[in-house]
């Protein structure tokens, strides 16, 4: 089966600072891929390049066969991006917010309705969807944003620290939603996180970034084995400290 | 684009905005009512003359009667201080004791004019002592120049002529000015409000989207970026037009209230209409009237200026780091609008000399501020040159905006400056 995402030697620098150095990896349909790295390792830059917000200095990536350099418009038609600590339009109700983004994805009203219904079901906010978003808690906004990101069944959902700042139960809900959407819709997920236990229990595979370089890549079990560790957290520590 | 536009409008037209707009409208009207009172009672004296008669003779009574004949209300007090403290006068004209005796002896007398200093406001009272002086002169003229010697009052009549566009017509310059300048004065005000409001609206909207990171979600959706930019610009334009319309209506209503507060009892409508017709004829003869094609050009300049303000705001909003700095980001547009606006109100930019004029002409908005002037006085080179310049300026800005929204700068503009930027 063709990979949903194929990254080929992506690099990006800000002035003299090399943020991402020749990173390459692939993600299959329905696969959940976790990016691990310290602050400033290059995770957000990599995700923003794949979301077509930043242009790579060199290399390319193909999402559903479309180049992020040559055909960013086509790429945007098959991805969704959830930035770190993203807010939502505070004056809208949750339902209108979902309807607005569904309208960006398709002009067909019947399809828009299906997307919105799916989003409502995914976020599980019930009657709260009729309230203004300004009244929502951080956890509710995150659930709504995630629903927005996956309701139209994108080929690839790019999530930057999706559970950042959330409590245990909200984080659990978000992880379950990601797993369910990957299984049901075949959506591939690329997510970054500092919660390595979260990646260990959610991601099928993952990669460790340090100073923009890809240090290691594989399943949680393979990464543990590669660094002779019992947990992913331990493997990450050894990878980052010893290289 | 329509879908994004609806969202932008629903964001901008909210309850707070409508309440703010309604409050502004009421405040402007209230200002008009207040100004009516200030102008009629303070600046014009409200037709009231405050007299302290220390002479108390038949002649001083005649002076007061003459003032009443001229339509003034005469209010008296025993002393200026009594008038100020008990009647809240702003001025007092004192007819001194012995005044009539001096006049009978053909000696000049002195009338004291006392004005109250309560504030440093430029609209402070100027008093009505001059009309008292005029009343005394009138009475003495009647007394000493008995008979048909009225021509001595005006031995030579002034016939006003106005020269413009190489022609001379018999009409007062001020009458011609007031007949053509209403729109000339309203246009810069409306333009100033529109540009400033538009800039602030759009820059704040984009900066807020950047802070909330909703812009990233929007720009990664399957909608062309030019549509997103166009929708934001159009929404900001509609909101600004709403603001400008409400403000302009408020100002016009306030102006009408102010004017209606003046004494118009003596106005004869037939005479006024005849005067208007003759002034209109003079305007046509001088060629000051703007033809239809000219108005189309003026509106085109207005549209171009708005387009420039919108596009520049989109660029500045994109370069703004967060909502807090949005106000500062709109300063360049505010200044570029304020300078030509203020200068066009107090001087003729077209007749300025040297570098200053070229600097002003380099600001595209200047050309709209002087557009009607250029049309009135047949400065077609300046008018059409300004129009072309604004069109080129707008084209360059649109290209720059598209480039910005397709570049990294939108998200990395602050990254190189901020150490804490995520990598």
């Amino acid at each position: 089966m063709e990979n949903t995402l194929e990254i080929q030697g992506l690099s990006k620098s800000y002035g003299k600072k090399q943020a991402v150095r020749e990173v390459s990896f692939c993600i299959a349909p329905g696969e959940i891929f976790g990016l691990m790295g310290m602050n400033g390792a290059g995770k957000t830059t990599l995700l923003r390049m794949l979301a077509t917000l930043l242009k790579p200095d060199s290399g390319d990536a193909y999402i559903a066969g479309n180049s992020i350099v040559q055909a960013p418009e086509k790429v945007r038609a098959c991805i969704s991006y959830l930035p770190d600590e993203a807010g939502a339009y505070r004056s809208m109700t949750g339902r209108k917010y979902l309807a607005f983004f569904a309208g960006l994805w398709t002009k067909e009203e019947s399809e828009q309705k299906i997307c919105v219904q799916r989003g409502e079901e995914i976020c599980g906010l019930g009657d709260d969807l009729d309230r203004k978003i300004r009244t929502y808690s951080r956890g509710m906004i995150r659930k709504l944003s995630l629903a927005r990101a996956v309701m139209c069944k994108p080929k690839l959902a790019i999530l930057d620290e999706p559970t950042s700042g959330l409590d245990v139960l909200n984080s659990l809900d978000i992880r379950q939603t990601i797993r369910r959407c990957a299984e049901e819709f075949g959506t591939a997920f690329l997510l970054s996180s500092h919660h390595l236990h979260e990646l260990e229990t959610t991601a099928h595979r993952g990669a460790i970034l340090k100073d923009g370089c890809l240090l290691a890549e594989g399943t949680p079990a393979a990464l543990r084995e590669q660094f002779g560790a019992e947990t992913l957290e331990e493997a990450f520590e050894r990878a980052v400290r010893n290289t | 684009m329509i879908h994004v536009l609806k969202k932008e409008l629903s964001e901008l037209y909210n309850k707070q905005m409508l309440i703010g707009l309604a409050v502004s409208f009421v405040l402007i009207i209230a200002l008009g009512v207040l100004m009516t009172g200030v102008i009629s009672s303070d600046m014009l004296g409200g037709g009231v003359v405050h007299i302290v008669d220390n002479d108390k003779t038949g002649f001083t009574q005649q002076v007061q009667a003459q003032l009443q004949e001229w339509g003034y209300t005469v209010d008296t007090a025993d002393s200026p201080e009594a008038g100020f403290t008990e009647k809240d006068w702003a001025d007092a004209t004192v007819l001194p004791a012995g005044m009539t005796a001096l006049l009978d002896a053909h000696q000049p007398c002195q009338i004291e004019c006392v004005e109250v200093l309560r504030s440093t406001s430029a609209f402070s009272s100027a008093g009505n002592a001059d009309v008292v002086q005029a009343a005394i002169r009138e009475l003495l003229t009647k007394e000493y120049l008995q008979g048909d010697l009225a021509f001595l009052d005006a031995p030579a009549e002034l016939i006003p002529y106005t020269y413009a566009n190489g022609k001379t017509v018999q009409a007062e310059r001020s009458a011609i000015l007031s007949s053509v300048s209403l729109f000339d004065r309203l246009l810069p005000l409306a333009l100033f409000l529109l540009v400033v409001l538009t800039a602030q609206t759009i820059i704040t909207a984009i900066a807020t989207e950047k802070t909330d990171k909703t812009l990233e979600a929007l720009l990664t959706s399957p909608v062309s970026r030019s549509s997103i930019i166009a929708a934001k610009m159009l929404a900001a334009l509609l909101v600004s037009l709403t603001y400008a319309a409400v403000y302009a209506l408020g100002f016009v209503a306030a102006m009408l209230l102010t004017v209606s507060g003046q004494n118009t009892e003596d106005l004869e409508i037939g005479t006024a209409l005849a005067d208007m017709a003759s002034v209109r004829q003079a305007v046509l003869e001088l060629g000051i009237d703007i033809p239809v094609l000219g108005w189309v050009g003026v509106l085109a300049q207005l549209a171009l200026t708005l387009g420039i303000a919108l596009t520049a705001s989109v660029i500045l909003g994109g370069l703004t780091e967060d909502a807090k700095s949005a106000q500062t980001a709109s300063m360049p547009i505010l200044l570029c609008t304020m300078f030509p606006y203020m200068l066009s109100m107090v001087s003729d930019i077209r007749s300025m000399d040297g570098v200053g004029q070229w600097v002003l002409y380099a600001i595209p908005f200047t050309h709209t501020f002087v557009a009607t002037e250029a049309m009135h006085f047949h400065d077609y080179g300046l008018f059409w040159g300004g129009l072309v310049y604004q069109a080129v300026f707008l084209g360059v800005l649109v290209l720059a905006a598209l480039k910005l929204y397709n570049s990294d700068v939108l998200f990395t503009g602050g990254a190189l400056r901020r150490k804490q930027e995520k990598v």
Side-chain angles (χ1 to χ4, degrees), chain B residues 261-283:
Chain B
Q262 310 307 315
N263 187 4
T264 53
E265 286 170 12
D266 296 335
L267 181 71
E268 288 180 29
I269 292 175
T271 311
L273 287 175
D275 286 348
M276 280 170 64
S278 68
V279 170
R280 177 78 190 139
Q281 183 60 34
V283 167

Side-chain angles (χ1 to χ4, degrees), chain A residues 12 14 19 40 42-45 48 51-55 76-77 81 83-84 86-89 91-92 99-101 103-105 148 160-161, chain B residues 3-4 7-8 10-11 14 16 209 211-225 406-408 411-412 415-416 421-423:
Chain A
K12 177 75 183 173
Y14 301 120
K43 302 186 297 293
T44 298
T45 299
R48 281 180 165 181
T52 72
L53 291 172
L54 298 179
K55 286 187 172 62
R76 288 196 278 271
Y81 176 56
D84 173 30
Y89 299 114
S91 61
M92 285 186 187
F100 169 64
F101 275 97
L104 295 179
W105 271 81
R148 182 273 297 169
D160 196 355
E161 301 189 26
Chain B
H3 191 67
V4 183
K7 168 249 161 193
E8 295 292 339
S10 72
E11 288 265 291
N14 51 42
Q16 287 86 347
E209 284 226 36
T211 306
D212 290 347
K213 297 194 177 178
T214 47
L215 188 62
E216 294 180 42
L218 194 59
L219 292 178
T220 51
S221 64
V223 180
S224 76
R225 293 190 175 175
N406 281 296
S407 76
D408 294 358
F411 297 104
T412 61
L416 299 176
E421 175 70 12
K422 286 187 73 178
V423 175

Side-chain angles (χ1 to χ4, degrees), chain B residues 115-286:
Chain B
E115 290 181 4
V116 180
L117 185 64
R118 289 197 181 106
S119 76
T120 54
S121 164
F123 295 113
S124 295
S125 164
N128 270 331
D130 54 338
V131 294
V132 177
Q133 197 181 19
I136 292 169
R137 189 167 54 238
E138 177 77 11
L139 289 170
L140 292 177
T141 305
K142 279 181 186 169
E143 186 178 339
Y144 294 116
L145 301 178
Q146 287 172 352
D148 190 19
L149 296 171
F151 75 94
L152 284 175
D153 254 358
E157 189 185 358
L158 291 175
I159 310 291
Y161 281 86
T162 303
Y163 174 85
N165 294 331
K167 291 173 189 164
T168 306
V169 296
Q170 186 185 333
E172 270 192 55
R173 179 179 166 276
S174 58
I176 290 175
L177 259 181
S178 61
S179 79
V180 297
S181 66
L182 179 64
F183 188 79
D184 290 22
R185 287 178 203 281
L186 276 180
L187 180 75
L189 175 66
L191 184 66
F192 178 74
L193 286 172
L194 264 177
V195 169
V196 172
L197 290 169
T198 302
Q200 287 185 343
T201 304
I202 205 161
I203 291 174
T204 306
I206 294 175
T208 306
E209 284 226 36
K210 283 184 86 171
T211 306
D212 290 347
K213 297 194 177 178
T214 47
L215 188 62
E216 294 180 42
L218 194 59
L219 292 178
T220 51
S221 64
V223 180
S224 76
R225 293 190 175 175
S226 52
S227 298
I228 292 170
I229 295 171
K232 283 190 178 296
M233 285 166 59
L234 194 55
L237 177 64
L238 289 173
V239 171
S240 304
L241 281 172
T242 308
Y243 270 110
V246 170
Y247 285 177
L249 273 176
F251 280 124
V252 169
M255 231 163 65
L256 289 174
L257 274 171
T258 309
V259 171
S260 67
Q262 310 307 315
N263 187 4
T264 53
E265 286 170 12
D266 296 335
L267 181 71
E268 288 180 29
I269 292 175
T271 311
L273 287 175
D275 286 348
M276 280 170 64
S278 68
V279 170
R280 177 78 190 139
Q281 183 60 34
V283 167
L284 290 173
E285 282 178 30
L286 289 173

Side-chain angles (χ1 to χ4, degrees), chain A residues 7-13 20 45-46 48-50 52-61 67-70, chain B residues 408:
Chain A
I7 304 178
Q8 297 174 356
L10 273 188
S11 295
K12 177 75 183 173
S13 57
V20 174
T45 299
L46 178 59
R48 281 180 165 181
M49 281 194 284
L50 296 173
T52 72
L53 291 172
L54 298 179
K55 286 187 172 62
D57 294 338
S58 62
D60 203 347
S67 160
I68 61 167
V69 178
Q70 303 296 328
Chain B
D408 294 358

Side-chain angles (χ1 to χ4, degrees), chain B residues 355-377:
Chain B
V355 180
Q357 190 187 47
W358 285 103
V359 169
L360 280 170
Y361 283 156
I363 300 171
F365 306 144
T366 305
H367 296 279
T368 305
F369 284 118
V370 299
T372 49
E373 287 275 310
M375 268 290 159
H376 285 313
F377 300 105

